[in-house]
Amino acid sequence: MYNEKVMDHFQNPRNAGEMLKPSGVGEVGNMKCGDIMKIFIKVENDHIVDINFLTFGCGAAIASSSVLTEMVKGKTLDEAMAVTNMDVANQLGGLPEAKLHCSNLAADALHKAIADYRSKNLSA
Amino acid sequence: MKRIYLDHGATTPLHPEVLEAMLPYFGQVFGNPSSVHSFGREARRALDESREKTALALGAAPEEIIFTSGGTEANNLAIQGVAEALSARGRHLITSAVEHHAVLDTVKALGKRGYAVTLLPVDGCGMVNPGDLKQAIRDDTVLVSVMTANNEIGTVQPIEDLARICRERGVYFHTDAVQAIGNIPLNLKEWPVDLLSLSAHKFYGPKGVGALFVRRGTKLAKLAFGGGQERKMRPGTENLPGIVGLAKAIELAVTDIPARSTSMAALRDHLIASLMEQIEKVRLNGHPVQRLPGNVNVSVSYVEGESLLLDLDLKGIAASSGSACTSGSLEASHVLMACGLDHQTAHGSLRLTLGHGNTLEEVDYTVATLKESVARLRGMSSLYKSYRREVDKSRHAGEETICITKK
Ligand SMILES: Cc1ncc(COP(=O)(O)O)c(C=O)c1O
Ligand SMILES: [Zn+2]
């Protein structure tokens, strides 16, 4: 059902866990479709210097959260804002069709975290 | 890697004696049962004997058995067949909210073709209330269909009571007994059931073959047109190897049910108790007692079912789940929702269905593996973190009040 890369991220998730003093937090998903993702970012000089995720969800949800954290760590906020859910799925080498819409929301959570950071740091 | 199969609700392995019984019909006995010559006659003999064996196992007469391609076709034939045969008399159908899709979607399809449909609710354990059925029957009700035992949560319905109510009101009663055969004793001489569906691959027989019991005198219209096989109710050259396999499988399945289901239920109860003891926040879905001997269905809070299945599969353990993420339809199980579960609890559901080959060691290994997986997945679940925070908060609050009372 899932390819090797997805299974690798599912079995060995990168950057899983809670961040203590995040610069921004974003959460997406709802209970009905069954996947909830939370992304924590630490921002310095407009760059994402650290990133963590917590995900309640299926294999696709966990793997897409994990791979996203790898994709954007070290990137500028604008670069990270340009990453789409589709980019995440492509980075995983593809996801089953049924998983593309409901379980592949990690980029949305990231964008919310960035928006959260920016709203708290309007003067910066 | 050693593999453990705990998905007997999905399908069962073929019993070696069933395979042995079938083999000649893939080889030397290849005739068409409808042919007059000796090749046809020996095939006909096997077909007749299979029908007799199947009938005997159910307490039915041979002419009351129609072989089909499985449980799905048997359910379709029963429901659409009765609805059409009695359409002049009435157009109201009753079924339960927890049926297999082969029943539920058939009834719903008739609903779109001008039939009125009543879905009986179930209680928190998945049980239909006979009182609800009494109230639902109308003058134009032609068929009630309630499954004998549920495929997801294993709840066994009060079929004799439900069937008796229908008999008294002159309404046909159909039951999908696909999950029940071989697990609970059932005798059609005593049960006032008019139609009953079964499927061989759920009781160690082959896939793609099933049967519909149709009590003598029951009005039924056929769904497909062609030859005159199966008393003109189900045209097409018979799947003889499959039918021979079904007959052998049902003969074995109904032998010694009380003894075999008692020992399986003991293993089931051990599995349930171990899960509840060793993993926090686990809830049993379905009925505590009126339950298939091999069915365990639990919801593990704060984790999602598909990720549990993947972890188990990586360790060689086969299970299933009612989570939306496993359904393809992106909807959580209609059975769990009908039992009143919230979405989160339904998404965390895990079904483990035992078979005759499973051992205590396998069950204990499964519990240990599951415990590890739950800990791993909860470690990255935001829902679990929030839950722990709440627990810690109330614990601190508790400490504070203790301090205050000390003062
Ligand atoms: C209760 C129930 N009814 C019907 C079916 C369908 O049977 P079959 O696979 O033989 O079509 C199943 C199998 O999943 C079932 O569990
Ligand atoms: Zn999902």
Side-chain angles (χ1 to χ4, degrees), chain B residues 108-128:
Chain B
K108 285 181 179 168
L110 288 168
K112 288 199 182 122
R113 287 193 234 146
Y115 285 79
V117 172
T118 300
L119 286 191
L120 298 172
V122 293
D123 65 17
C125 300
M127 195 70 91
V128 170

Short mmCIF file of all heavy atoms in Angstrom, two decimals, chain B residues 108-128:
data_model
loop_
_atom_site.label_atom_id
_atom_site.label_comp_id
_atom_site.label_asym_id
_atom_site.label_seq_id
_atom_site.Cartn_x
_atom_site.Cartn_y
_atom_site.Cartn_z
N LYS B 108 -30.62 0.18 0.72
CA LYS B 108 -30.59 1.60 0.35
C LYS B 108 -30.84 1.79 -1.15
O LYS B 108 -31.48 2.76 -1.56
CB LYS B 108 -29.25 2.23 0.74
CG LYS B 108 -29.16 2.49 2.24
CD LYS B 108 -27.83 3.14 2.60
CE LYS B 108 -27.76 3.42 4.10
NZ LYS B 108 -26.39 3.79 4.52
N ALA B 109 -30.33 0.87 -1.95
CA ALA B 109 -30.56 0.95 -3.40
C ALA B 109 -32.06 0.80 -3.69
O ALA B 109 -32.62 1.51 -4.53
CB ALA B 109 -29.76 -0.12 -4.13
N LEU B 110 -32.71 -0.10 -2.97
CA LEU B 110 -34.17 -0.25 -3.15
C LEU B 110 -34.88 1.01 -2.67
O LEU B 110 -35.92 1.40 -3.22
CB LEU B 110 -34.67 -1.49 -2.39
CG LEU B 110 -34.27 -2.82 -3.03
CD1 LEU B 110 -34.54 -3.99 -2.09
CD2 LEU B 110 -35.00 -3.03 -4.35
N GLY B 111 -34.32 1.65 -1.65
CA GLY B 111 -34.87 2.90 -1.16
C GLY B 111 -34.92 3.96 -2.27
O GLY B 111 -35.85 4.75 -2.34
N LYS B 112 -33.93 3.92 -3.14
CA LYS B 112 -33.91 4.88 -4.26
C LYS B 112 -34.88 4.47 -5.36
O LYS B 112 -35.18 5.26 -6.24
CB LYS B 112 -32.49 4.96 -4.84
CG LYS B 112 -31.53 5.69 -3.92
CD LYS B 112 -30.30 6.16 -4.68
CE LYS B 112 -29.33 6.85 -3.73
NZ LYS B 112 -28.00 6.24 -3.72
N ARG B 113 -35.31 3.20 -5.32
CA ARG B 113 -36.23 2.73 -6.36
C ARG B 113 -37.67 2.70 -5.84
O ARG B 113 -38.48 1.90 -6.29
CB ARG B 113 -35.83 1.33 -6.82
CG ARG B 113 -34.57 1.31 -7.67
CD ARG B 113 -34.42 -0.04 -8.34
NE ARG B 113 -33.13 -0.64 -8.06
CZ ARG B 113 -32.92 -1.95 -7.93
NH1 ARG B 113 -33.93 -2.81 -8.02
NH2 ARG B 113 -31.72 -2.41 -7.69
N GLY B 114 -37.96 3.52 -4.84
CA GLY B 114 -39.36 3.68 -4.43
C GLY B 114 -39.79 2.86 -3.23
O GLY B 114 -40.95 2.89 -2.84
N TYR B 115 -38.86 2.12 -2.60
CA TYR B 115 -39.22 1.40 -1.39
C TYR B 115 -39.00 2.31 -0.18
O TYR B 115 -38.09 3.13 -0.17
CB TYR B 115 -38.35 0.14 -1.23
CG TYR B 115 -38.77 -0.96 -2.18
CD1 TYR B 115 -38.38 -0.94 -3.51
CD2 TYR B 115 -39.57 -2.01 -1.73
CE1 TYR B 115 -38.77 -1.94 -4.38
CE2 TYR B 115 -39.97 -3.02 -2.60
CZ TYR B 115 -39.56 -2.98 -3.92
OH TYR B 115 -39.96 -3.97 -4.77
N ALA B 116 -39.83 2.13 0.83
CA ALA B 116 -39.61 2.83 2.10
C ALA B 116 -38.69 1.94 2.94
O ALA B 116 -38.82 0.71 2.91
CB ALA B 116 -40.93 3.05 2.82
N VAL B 117 -37.77 2.57 3.65
CA VAL B 117 -36.77 1.81 4.41
C VAL B 117 -36.75 2.30 5.86
O VAL B 117 -36.73 3.50 6.11
CB VAL B 117 -35.37 2.00 3.79
CG1 VAL B 117 -34.29 1.39 4.67
CG2 VAL B 117 -35.32 1.40 2.38
N THR B 118 -36.76 1.35 6.81
CA THR B 118 -36.55 1.71 8.21
C THR B 118 -35.25 1.04 8.67
O THR B 118 -35.09 -0.17 8.51
CB THR B 118 -37.71 1.24 9.10
OG1 THR B 118 -38.91 1.86 8.64
CG2 THR B 118 -37.47 1.60 10.56
N LEU B 119 -34.35 1.84 9.23
CA LEU B 119 -33.12 1.30 9.82
C LEU B 119 -33.31 1.22 11.32
O LEU B 119 -33.48 2.25 11.98
CB LEU B 119 -31.92 2.20 9.52
CG LEU B 119 -31.34 2.22 8.11
CD1 LEU B 119 -30.01 2.97 8.10
CD2 LEU B 119 -31.15 0.81 7.58
N LEU B 120 -33.27 0.01 11.88
CA LEU B 120 -33.40 -0.13 13.33
C LEU B 120 -32.11 0.34 13.99
O LEU B 120 -31.01 -0.04 13.56
CB LEU B 120 -33.65 -1.59 13.70
CG LEU B 120 -34.94 -2.20 13.15
CD1 LEU B 120 -34.97 -3.70 13.44
CD2 LEU B 120 -36.16 -1.51 13.75
N PRO B 121 -32.22 1.13 15.05
CA PRO B 121 -31.00 1.56 15.76
C PRO B 121 -30.47 0.40 16.61
O PRO B 121 -31.14 -0.63 16.77
CB PRO B 121 -31.51 2.68 16.66
CG PRO B 121 -32.94 2.34 16.92
CD PRO B 121 -33.44 1.64 15.67
N VAL B 122 -29.27 0.57 17.14
CA VAL B 122 -28.73 -0.42 18.07
C VAL B 122 -28.33 0.30 19.36
O VAL B 122 -28.14 1.51 19.36
CB VAL B 122 -27.50 -1.15 17.49
CG1 VAL B 122 -27.90 -2.01 16.30
CG2 VAL B 122 -26.40 -0.17 17.11
N ASP B 123 -28.18 -0.47 20.42
CA ASP B 123 -27.72 0.15 21.67
C ASP B 123 -26.19 0.27 21.63
O ASP B 123 -25.55 -0.06 20.63
CB ASP B 123 -28.23 -0.63 22.89
CG ASP B 123 -27.65 -2.04 22.99
OD1 ASP B 123 -26.63 -2.34 22.33
OD2 ASP B 123 -28.21 -2.86 23.74
N GLY B 124 -25.61 0.70 22.72
CA GLY B 124 -24.16 0.94 22.77
C GLY B 124 -23.34 -0.31 22.52
O GLY B 124 -22.16 -0.22 22.18
N CYS B 125 -23.96 -1.48 22.68
CA CYS B 125 -23.25 -2.74 22.45
C CYS B 125 -23.52 -3.31 21.06
O CYS B 125 -23.09 -4.42 20.74
CB CYS B 125 -23.65 -3.78 23.49
SG CYS B 125 -23.30 -3.28 25.18
N GLY B 126 -24.28 -2.56 20.27
CA GLY B 126 -24.56 -3.02 18.91
C GLY B 126 -25.76 -3.93 18.80
O GLY B 126 -25.95 -4.62 17.79
N MET B 127 -26.61 -3.95 19.84
CA MET B 127 -27.73 -4.89 19.90
C MET B 127 -29.02 -4.22 19.43
O MET B 127 -29.32 -3.09 19.81
CB MET B 127 -27.88 -5.33 21.36
CG MET B 127 -28.72 -6.55 21.59
SD MET B 127 -27.93 -8.04 20.99
CE MET B 127 -27.05 -8.57 22.44
N VAL B 128 -29.78 -4.96 18.60
CA VAL B 128 -31.09 -4.50 18.16
C VAL B 128 -32.10 -4.83 19.25
O VAL B 128 -32.06 -5.91 19.85
CB VAL B 128 -31.50 -5.20 16.84
CG1 VAL B 128 -32.96 -4.92 16.50
CG2 VAL B 128 -30.59 -4.75 15.70
#
